[in-house]
Amino acid sequence: MRTRRLSARWVLPVGGPPVERGALLIGADGRIVAVGPEPDVPRPTNAPAEDFGEALLLPGLINTHTHLELTGLADGPPEPDFAGWIRRLRAAKAARAPDAFLVAACRGLTDCWAAGVTTVADTGDSGAVIQALAEAGGSGIAYQEVFGPHPDQRDESLAGLERQVERLGRYVGGRVRIGVSPHAPYTVSGPLYAATAEFARRLGLPVAVHVAESAAESALLARGEGEFADAWRARGIPAPAPLGRTPVAWLEEHGVLSGRTLCIHAVRVAGPDIGRLVRAGAAVAHCPLSNRAHGHGVAPLAGLLAASLRVGLGTDSAVSVGALDLLAEARAAGVLAGLSAARALSLCTLEGAGALGLEGEVGSLAPGKWGDCVVIRPPRGLVAAPPEELVLASGPRDVLVTFVGGRDVYRSSRPL
Ligand SMILES: [Zn+2]
């Protein structure tokens, strides 16, 4: 790749204030060389330069929770019965041909790029997403899921996970990482949580877990009651022991919480649970539109941020929210916690990178970081607004070009 220079009316580094009439220089190695006001950014004679006129140039967005292998699996809003929805989703996955997961993952990844997202943290069990990331030159963490609600399944489930991590290791490298995801408290036994956490520690792998999402999950762990508990009883699976734990306390008790753990959803977390997350140094993937679509309630985002937890934004799957739109998540998060447009933008860029432990590599436009950026057309009629507000008022249809490591991976067919 050649060194390239990009410029636009507004450059939003995110790590610093917006620059009017700014430019960005990306080196041949795909990393940022310089960013700042037009006159301060070098113009190497052999570097192609591209000016995007009135557009906004900002870091590529970081989606901290996707299930790209589910792309195209279902249409329409999810039904209100969450436990039933999970069962039907798993049946739909089981009916999908193995090859179809890779097709879905590739489409999901290109959809992300078209919506301005350049790094994903994805959970799934097919292994298709890490392959898609590696083969397409993407950036992200693929967390390999493991399931097993009966304590007797522990050894078999763990062995399966170990085999998958070994098999998928061929795709790890460069900008593609692998992690593990003991799926959720209603699909994973306490012993399997502990064993998976130990495996992750041994290999130094990051961990992602869906936690404190639904009322049914909390009822299962607190009292052995509710839809998930009923489903477990019907399958001969013993209730969690001991009862009386919150979902976050349950994870803590099984050694799952650490500075490498990403807690997805974290809706039902009260003060003591926030304290547990803080003590462990865990991060949160906040998914406001998925939480709303499933009727799970409202996560205490302001409280999580006030506690200085690392928080990023995630869309969850297309099966939950339809087309993935991380800027819509940022708007929802901003309303929820009363955030400025600049902070909401930070959550889906630099802070999202921080939640994944990737803040040294991506999330802002700074020398040394990857040349991941997105060019957005300002929404009509709003051009006088502050640039962060212009970004937040836009959506996937306004994305003009997306770059990953200085390579344009998406260009809109619409005129500039
Ligand atoms: Zn999810």
Side-chain angles (χ1 to χ4, degrees):
M1 206 187 73
R2 292 168 68 188
T3 295
R4 68 195 307 168
R5 191 179 192 277
L6 311 174
S7 57
R9 162 87 189 276
W10 284 107
V11 171
L12 294 89
V14 172
V19 180
E20 188 159 15
R21 286 277 154 236
L24 176 71
L25 187 67
I26 303 173
D29 62 356
R31 294 200 182 248
I32 295 170
V33 175
V35 59
E38 264 278 12
D40 298 351
V41 174
R43 293 175 177 273
T45 48
N46 62 344
E50 195 169 3
D51 181 69
F52 294 104
E54 291 299 302
L56 306 133
L57 176 63
L58 58 144
L61 308 179
I62 312 287
N63 191 339
T64 63
H65 184 48
T66 60
H67 296 264
L68 297 183
E69 69 184 11
L70 303 184
T71 305
L73 198 61
D75 292 319
E79 56 209 283
D81 164 20
F82 186 60
W85 179 83
I86 292 274
R87 275 196 301 278
R88 278 180 279 278
L89 174 60
R90 295 191 70 177
K93 273 182 75 177
R96 190 175 241 193
D99 291 356
F101 286 104
L102 184 59
V103 174
C106 291
R107 201 188 110 199
L109 182 58
T110 53
D111 287 351
C112 283
W113 287 343
V117 169
T118 51
T119 291
V120 294
D122 188 274
T123 65
D125 69 342
S126 70
V129 172
I130 195 167
Q131 184 177 351
L133 282 168
E135 292 177 353
S139 161
I141 304 174
Y143 298 92
Q144 182 65 25
E145 285 177 335
V146 60
F147 301 88
H150 198 301
D152 290 351
Q153 293 171 286
R154 182 194 64 179
D155 293 350
E156 187 186 343
S157 293
L158 183 67
L161 176 68
E162 290 175 344
R163 277 196 303 276
Q164 282 287 64
V165 168
E166 165 92 30
R167 178 179 79 82
L168 298 172
R170 78 183 83 159
Y171 301 116
V172 175
R175 307 197 55 191
V176 179
R177 300 170 194 224
I178 194 167
V180 294
S181 178
H183 174 257
Y186 52 86
T187 55
V188 172
S189 68
L192 181 56
Y193 266 127
T196 305
E198 171 55 28
F199 171 64
R201 254 192 307 280
R202 197 154 30 88
L203 269 66
L205 300 177
V207 177
V209 57
H210 294 80
V211 67
E213 183 180 8
S214 65
E217 176 192 330
S218 293
L220 169 69
L221 295 174
R223 304 181 301 280
E225 294 174 356
E227 295 157 297
F228 289 127
D230 293 344
W232 279 24
R233 257 190 300 279
R235 293 170 60 192
I237 300 166
L243 291 170
R245 303 292 187 269
T246 65
V248 170
W250 183 248
L251 293 190
E252 181 185 53
E253 195 162 308
H254 291 93
V256 179
L257 297 182
S258 81
R260 304 175 74 96
T261 306
L262 180 68
C263 293
I264 306 159
H265 296 292
V267 174
R268 290 158 199 279
V269 290
D273 284 331
I274 293 178
R276 291 182 174 99
L277 296 172
V278 169
R279 278 199 301 281
V284 171
H286 173 58
C287 307
L289 298 183
S290 171
N291 296 340
R292 185 186 298 167
H294 287 289
H296 287 323
V298 173
L301 178 60
L304 299 174
L305 296 175
S308 297
L309 278 167
R310 292 176 293 134
V311 177
L313 300 182
T315 52
D316 213 343
S317 79
V319 184
S320 288
V321 297
L324 309 187
D325 181 349
L326 201 64
L327 291 172
E329 306 284 348
R331 287 194 292 277
V335 170
L336 188 59
L339 307 176
S340 68
R343 183 72 196 271
L345 178 59
S346 165
L347 281 180
C348 63
T349 52
L350 188 53
E351 289 178 74
L356 303 180
L358 299 176
E359 68 278 11
E361 298 287 310
V362 293
S364 63
L365 302 179
K369 288 197 183 187
W370 286 108
D372 293 359
C373 55
V374 56
V375 182
I376 290 179
R377 181 206 330 262
R380 285 184 208 288
L382 279 178
V383 282
E388 294 96 337
E389 289 182 21
L390 295 176
V391 172
L392 275 205
S394 67
R397 70 193 173 285
D398 302 309
V399 171
L400 296 172
V401 195
T402 303
F403 297 88
V404 171
R407 180 172 65 96
D408 38 342
V409 294
Y410 170 77
R411 270 185 193 264
S412 169
S413 53
R414 299 181 201 99
L416 190 64

